């Protein structure tokens, strides 16, 4: 060797690259051939990215068969092989805005004579299914083939012919030969229903809609495939022989649609990269509103002549990019399983996880629901587990990874539900035939704590500064054992507590004091009556007007109230009949807590028979919230609007009164608001809007 070796790989780097190649090959086979992936797509992507980076830093490490140079997986041998006349390529990914911008910059470099800012892009949902090539000869379905390794796929014609969405005959006019490319997928609702049936029948369930589609297509018996609820979206054209007048991708989609092929209604033609980014954001925000799963947006240069000029690399076109959404599934280590006690005494097992970024936030804790769920999932401390979080949904542990290179060699024994309450030490009880386990000690400090925390929470009495930590302290110091005690607190003694100065003591007392005037519906929520949520509580409060009327009503009367059924009615009557609960109510009333619903006459609807008008500063006004308003979950922000008599729909229209813009807002909502001239309110002024019902000036 004559000189330094700037890009030469050390042994450690070379060995990591080879390890990554093996790992990727292993997981590729699990995914493409066995339809049984062990790790989430995002983890797989991370392995490929790591290898790609190593290869970029050390070009001498690149091998021709590296997974970074190839597509998909070779044919399985189950079906006859089909050679694609035009290779079925993969797509390059952009995992964030910067990577998308880098792709746009590359377009600018490759097309110096084109104004990229005015370029048309076709933005299409990236459906999570199985890529399929479907060939029509003289308008009749002739062959369907999987992508395989991109050059050779598998002949699954008989199976694809059972998919209802795939027409057997095209509408004229059609070219003599037309190869349609698209995605076979399973709609989300059908996937859930299918798994439910399989669970009931004790047959194999699928981990996600994509695997359901892949497994269904891999059936040897087409009659089996026919029983699976598969669907198809056509998204492009491969080999064509004959007249095909498309000059752009959007033309092609129109022609496919006219020929009778299903084309996603969510594909959009936009002008300029900024609008393409806005469309990506919009689809990301609404991904769970779509009836099928998508994992990103495919952005394509619309003009076919420009596509030809841009060309392809060995594995992917330069004219398209897949903008991938943040992962909703990742693997991480399960550190421990613990049990928390709720306000009703329910003991809920939860997973303490090695924190992992999933579904847009870092997750360290996830509920495991109950004893049976832990057993069914067979998750054990020390396991490598898959964590799932879709949109605003609560994080969930899907199950352990027990095979493959990353799984622990030796697992710990199955976890056992504790016999004693972790808070009070009393026995935990699980009744025959029930799935939940309870701490039945009504004096249990954890239950007391949770009852007060719920009472003070934002959707209940909304007491500022009274979170879980503070409540725990009040209980520990013997200053409160139930919600009514809060109203006896005085700033003097509070100020002496740890981490509490005079100012915060005064603020806390003021916050508690302010909650005295909350309307009856919030008090009802705060009491934590089983089955009674904010909507039911509002219906009930409007119906009765005052707590006294409610106390005098029987279950049948309450069950007749619009929005209240026999289950809630029974729960309310049972709750109010309990002497312990009655004492707390009496003490709350004695402490000056309001027990009436404003704007509703004494006796409410029960007395007058007339529905009472909801009072509130936002009555009749519609306020759309986009992005996160600090201090509120999406639900709480919308609830705050509803509590003031307003409506909070999911989309902007001419009738919208205001659009509140929080962190990471949906670009579509803000731009629509601007286009329609609807006032946009900054998240910092949300409180003012709620207070006054007017656009903050
Ligand atoms: S175009 C040469 N458009 O994404 C580019 N692909 O790696 C061919 N996919 O499994 C792909 N929706 O089946 C394109 N609207 C869409 C798509 C789409 C989903 C899938 C494709 C392949 C993967 C790309």
């Amino acid at each position: 060797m004559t000189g330094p070796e700037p890009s030469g790989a050390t042994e450690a780097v070379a060995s990591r690259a080879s390890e990554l190649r093996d790992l990727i090959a292993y997981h590729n086979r699990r995914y493409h051939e066995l339809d049984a992936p062990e790790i989430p797509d995002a983890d797989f992507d991370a392995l490929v990215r790591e290898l790609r980076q190593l290869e970029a830093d050390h070009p001498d490490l690149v091998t021709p068969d590296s997974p970074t140079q190839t597509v998909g997986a070779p044919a399985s041998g189950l079906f006859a092989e089909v050679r694609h006349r035009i290779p079925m390529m993969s797509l390059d990914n952009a995992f964030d805005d910067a990577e998308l911008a880098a792709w746009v910059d590359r377009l600018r470099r490759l097309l110096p004579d084109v104004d990229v800012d005015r370029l048309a892009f076709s933005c299409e949902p990236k459906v999570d299914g199985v890529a399929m090539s479907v060939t029509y000869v003289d308008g009749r379905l002739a062959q369907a083939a999987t992508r395989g390794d991109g050059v050779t796929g598998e002949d699954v014609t008989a199976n694809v012919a059972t998919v209802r969405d795939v027409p057997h005959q095209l509408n004229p006019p059609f070219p003599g030969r037309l190869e349609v490319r698209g995605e076979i997928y399973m709609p989300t609702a059908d996937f859930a229903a299918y798994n439910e049936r399989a669970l009931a029948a004790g047959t194999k369930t699928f981990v996600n809609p994509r695997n359901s589609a892949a497994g269904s297509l891999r059936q040897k018996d087409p009659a089996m495939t026919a029983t699976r609820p598969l669907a198809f979206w056509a998204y492009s054209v491969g080999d064509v022989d004959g007249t095909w007048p498309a000059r752009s991708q959007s033309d092609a989609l129109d022609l496919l649609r006219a020929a009778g092929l299903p084309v996603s209604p969510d594909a959009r033609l936009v002008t300029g990269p900024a609008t393409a980014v806005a469309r990506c954001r919009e689809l990301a925000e609404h991904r769970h509103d779509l009836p099928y799963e998508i994992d990103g947006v495919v952005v394509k240069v619309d003009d076919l002549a420009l596509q030809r000029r841009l060309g392809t690399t060995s594995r992917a076109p330069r004219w398209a990019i897949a903008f991938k959404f943040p992962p909703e599934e990742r693997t991480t280590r399960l550190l421990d399983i613990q049990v928390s006690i709720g306000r009703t005494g329910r003991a809920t097992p939860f997973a303490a996880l090695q924190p992992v970024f999933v579904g847009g936030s870092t997750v360290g804790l996830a509920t495991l629901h109950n004893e049976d769920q832990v057993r069914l999932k067979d998750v054990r401390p020390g396991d490598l587990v898959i964590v799932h979080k879709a949109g605003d949904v609560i994080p969930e542990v899907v199950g352990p990874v027990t095979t493959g290179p990353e799984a622990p060699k030796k697992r710990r024994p199955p976890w056992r539900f504790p016999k004693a309450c972790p808070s009070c030490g009393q026995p935990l009880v699980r009744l025959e035939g029930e799935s939940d386990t309870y701490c039945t000690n009504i004096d249990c400090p954890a239950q007391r704590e949770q009852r007060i925390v719920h009472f003070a929470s934002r959707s209940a009495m909304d007491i500022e500064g009274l979170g879980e930590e503070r409540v725990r302290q009040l209980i520990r110091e013997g200053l409160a054992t139930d919600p009514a005690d809060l109203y006896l607190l005085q700033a003097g003694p509070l100020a002496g507590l740890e981490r509490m100065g005079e100012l915060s003591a005064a603020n806390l007392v003021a916050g508690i004091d302010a909650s005295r005037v909350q309307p009856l519906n919030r008090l009802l929520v705060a009491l934590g009556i089983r089955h009674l949520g904010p909507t039911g509580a509002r219906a009930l409060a409007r119906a009765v007007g005052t707590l006294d009327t409610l106390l005098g009503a029987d279950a049948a009367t309450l069950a007749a109230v619009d929005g209240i059924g026999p289950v809630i009615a029974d729960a309310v009557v049972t709750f109010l009949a309990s002497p312990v609960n009655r004492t707390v109510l009496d003490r709350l009333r004695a402490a000056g807590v309001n027990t009436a619903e404003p704007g509703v006459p004494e006796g409410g609807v029960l007395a007058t028979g007339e529905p009472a008008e909801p009072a509130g500063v936002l009555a009749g006004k519609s306020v759309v919230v986009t992005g996160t308003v600090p201090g509120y979950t999406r639900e709480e922000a919308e609830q705050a609007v509803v509590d003031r008599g307003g409506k909070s729909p999911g989309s902007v229209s001419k009738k919208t009164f205001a659009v509140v813009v929080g962190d990471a807002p949906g670009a579509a909502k803000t731009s629509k608001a601007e286009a329609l001239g609807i006032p946009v309110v900054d998240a910092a002024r949300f409180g003012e809007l709620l207070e006054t019902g007017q656009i903050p000036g």
Side-chain angles (χ1 to χ4, degrees):
M1 191 140 308
T2 50
E5 35 170 7
S7 71
T10 63
E11 216 167 282
V13 173
S15 120
R16 177 62 182 159
S18 137
E19 178 182 39
L20 283 169
R21 256 177 229 132
D22 288 348
L23 279 174
I24 291 166
Y26 174 85
H27 289 302
N28 242 336
R29 198 176 113 75
R30 302 266 341 164
Y31 184 95
H32 285 288
E33 288 177 45
L34 306 175
D35 305 321
E38 271 163 6
I39 58 170
D41 292 359
D43 288 23
F44 179 80
D45 286 344
L47 294 175
V48 177
R49 275 158 84 81
E50 190 186 340
L51 179 60
R52 209 183 285 284
Q53 189 60 51
L54 283 186
E55 289 179 346
D57 294 345
H58 308 282
D60 52 324
L61 283 181
V62 183
T63 57
D65 63 345
S66 170
T68 59
Q69 309 296 308
T70 56
V71 166
S76 67
L78 260 183
F79 301 92
E81 290 192 355
V82 173
R83 238 188 125 74
H84 299 298
R85 293 190 179 197
I86 297 175
M88 285 182 84
M89 304 199 98
S90 186
L91 286 172
D92 282 335
N93 292 323
F95 289 96
D96 54 34
D97 287 5
E99 292 186 2
L100 194 62
W103 175 69
V104 174
D105 282 343
R106 195 159 76 220
L107 295 181
R108 288 189 215 281
R109 274 200 309 280
L110 295 169
L111 303 171
D113 54 324
V114 172
D115 181 0
V116 170
D117 290 320
R118 302 210 43 79
L119 200 58
F121 294 96
S122 179
C123 300
E124 304 166 15
K126 188 169 182 304
V127 194
D128 211 1
V130 178
M132 192 60 61
S133 149
V134 186
T135 301
Y136 289 86
V137 175
D138 295 331
R140 284 212 62 80
L141 173 64
Q143 187 178 60
T146 63
R147 180 168 73 169
D149 64 3
V151 178
T152 309
E154 291 179 313
D155 186 334
V156 287
T157 312
N159 289 348
V160 170
T162 70
V163 177
R164 214 162 12 120
D165 275 3
V166 176
H168 287 208
Q169 173 70 50
L170 297 182
N171 302 330
F174 39 73
R177 181 185 176 88
L178 175 68
E179 184 202 353
V180 178
R181 292 185 174 174
E183 199 88 351
I184 299 271
Y185 67 98
M186 193 177 282
T188 324
D190 292 315
F191 161 74
Y194 179 85
N195 260 358
E196 229 165 78
R197 282 198 305 274
L199 218 79
T203 55
K204 182 177 179 295
T205 56
F206 286 109
V207 285
N208 58 39
R210 199 213 83 88
N211 290 107
S212 320
S216 304
L217 284 171
R218 214 179 281 285
Q219 298 298 320
K220 256 319 213 180
D221 178 5
M224 252 334 248
T225 310
T227 66
R228 309 287 170 85
L230 296 177
F232 181 61
W233 287 135
Y235 56 64
S236 72
V237 169
D239 182 40
V240 186
D241 193 359
T243 313
W244 182 254
R247 300 168 66 92
S248 65
Q249 162 68 7
S250 48
D251 281 354
L253 294 184
D254 288 343
L255 287 166
L256 289 171
R257 213 179 261 124
L261 285 149
V263 172
S264 167
D266 303 301
R268 291 276 184 290
L269 182 63
V270 304
T271 306
T275 325
V277 169
R279 179 60 184 158
C280 289
R281 293 230 177 90
E282 188 173 51
L283 277 174
E285 195 179 326
H286 289 289
R287 64 187 291 195
H288 298 295
D289 301 336
L290 299 177
Y292 48 90
E293 278 209 348
I294 64 174
D295 60 349
V297 182
V298 186
V299 181
K300 302 175 181 172
V301 170
D302 192 48
D303 188 310
L304 296 186
L306 288 180
Q307 286 191 4
R308 277 191 290 275
R309 267 181 68 190
L310 287 162
T312 70
T313 66
S314 66
R315 62 181 293 278
R318 291 195 190 86
W319 44 261
I321 189 110
F323 180 81
K324 293 287 271 284
F325 296 152
E328 296 196 314
E329 268 191 12
R330 292 298 302 267
T331 51
T332 190
R333 195 65 59 183
L334 175 59
L335 302 175
D336 196 9
I337 299 178
Q338 294 167 5
V339 164
S340 72
I341 305 294
R343 64 189 151 88
T344 60
R346 187 163 72 202
T348 308
F350 67 93
L353 302 161
Q354 181 81 48
V356 62
F357 185 76
V358 58
S361 67
T362 300
V363 173
L365 301 174
T367 178
L368 289 166
H369 303 290
N370 58 41
E371 185 177 10
D372 293 345
Q373 285 287 317
V374 181
R375 188 171 311 132
L376 261 177
K377 290 181 174 163
D378 187 23
V379 282
R380 310 176 188 184
D383 277 351
L384 187 69
V385 292
I386 296 178
V387 179
H388 172 91
K389 180 159 166 270
D392 287 344
V393 172
I394 302 161
E396 201 181 32
V397 175
V398 180
V401 178
T402 54
T403 53
E406 292 107 316
K409 299 281 165 290
K410 200 163 176 288
R411 297 179 75 200
R412 296 199 207 152
W415 180 78
R416 292 198 182 286
F417 210 95
K419 297 257 176 294
C421 169
S423 174
C424 69
Q426 296 288 310
L428 291 176
V429 182
R430 180 173 172 181
L431 293 181
E432 194 65 34
E434 291 221 353
S435 54
D436 288 327
T437 306
Y438 284 90
C439 164
T440 54
N441 170 18
I442 191 160
D443 291 324
C444 170
Q447 288 184 48
R448 290 191 176 287
E449 171 194 310
Q450 289 304 316
R451 280 198 289 270
I452 300 179
V453 168
H454 172 77
F455 184 88
S457 66
R458 208 183 286 271
S459 61
M461 298 300 268
D462 194 13
I463 302 176
E464 197 139 326
L466 196 54
E468 203 156 310
E469 276 302 311
R470 197 56 93 198
V471 171
R472 207 167 292 147
Q473 186 183 30
L474 294 178
I475 292 180
R476 211 173 40 234
E477 300 288 339
L479 289 170
T481 54
D482 68 38
D485 291 336
L486 297 175
Y487 296 95
L488 306 175
L489 293 174
Q490 288 178 349
L494 280 178
L497 296 182
E498 214 181 300
R499 287 174 291 113
M500 177 92 96
E502 270 178 31
L503 185 63
S504 33
N507 283 342
L508 180 56
V509 172
I512 294 170
D513 186 41
S515 75
R516 281 191 169 90
V517 298
Q518 289 287 14
L520 174 63
N521 76 73
R522 279 178 167 265
L523 178 61
L524 292 175
V525 171
L527 294 173
I529 302 170
R530 262 189 107 183
H531 308 299
L532 188 70
T535 314
R538 270 194 304 275
L540 198 57
R542 276 208 292 276
V544 297
T546 65
L547 181 62
D548 279 332
T549 311
L550 180 62
L551 289 170
D554 60 16
T557 314
L558 297 183
V561 171
D562 203 14
I564 303 289
V567 175
I568 301 182
D570 267 346
V572 171
V573 169
T574 308
F575 181 93
L576 297 175
S578 142
V580 179
N581 294 336
R582 280 299 262 267
T583 309
V584 173
L585 275 177
D586 287 345
R587 292 178 54 229
L588 284 169
R589 204 199 295 254
V593 171
N594 166 54
T595 56
E597 187 70 359
V600 181
E602 174 75 19
V605 188
L606 292 184
T608 63
E610 289 295 316
E613 274 301 304
V617 290
L618 289 171
K621 292 175 180 161
S622 154
V623 177
V624 174
V625 181
T626 172
T628 320
V629 179
Y632 293 79
T633 62
R634 163 63 58 85
E635 223 168 52
E636 286 169 351
E638 290 174 357
Q639 187 60 48
V641 172
V642 174
D643 280 347
R644 285 149 186 87
K647 276 197 292 201
S648 189
S651 56
V652 179
S653 74
K654 273 191 306 212
K655 294 192 188 128
T656 305
F657 173 66
V659 175
V660 177
V661 182
D663 294 337
K669 284 182 191 163
T670 22
S671 55
K672 188 153 180 202
E674 273 159 25
L676 294 172
I678 288 158
V680 171
V681 176
D682 189 73
R685 318 290 294 269
F686 185 49
E688 221 174 312
L689 171 72
L690 292 177
E691 207 162 296
T692 61
Q694 303 300 320
I695 307 296

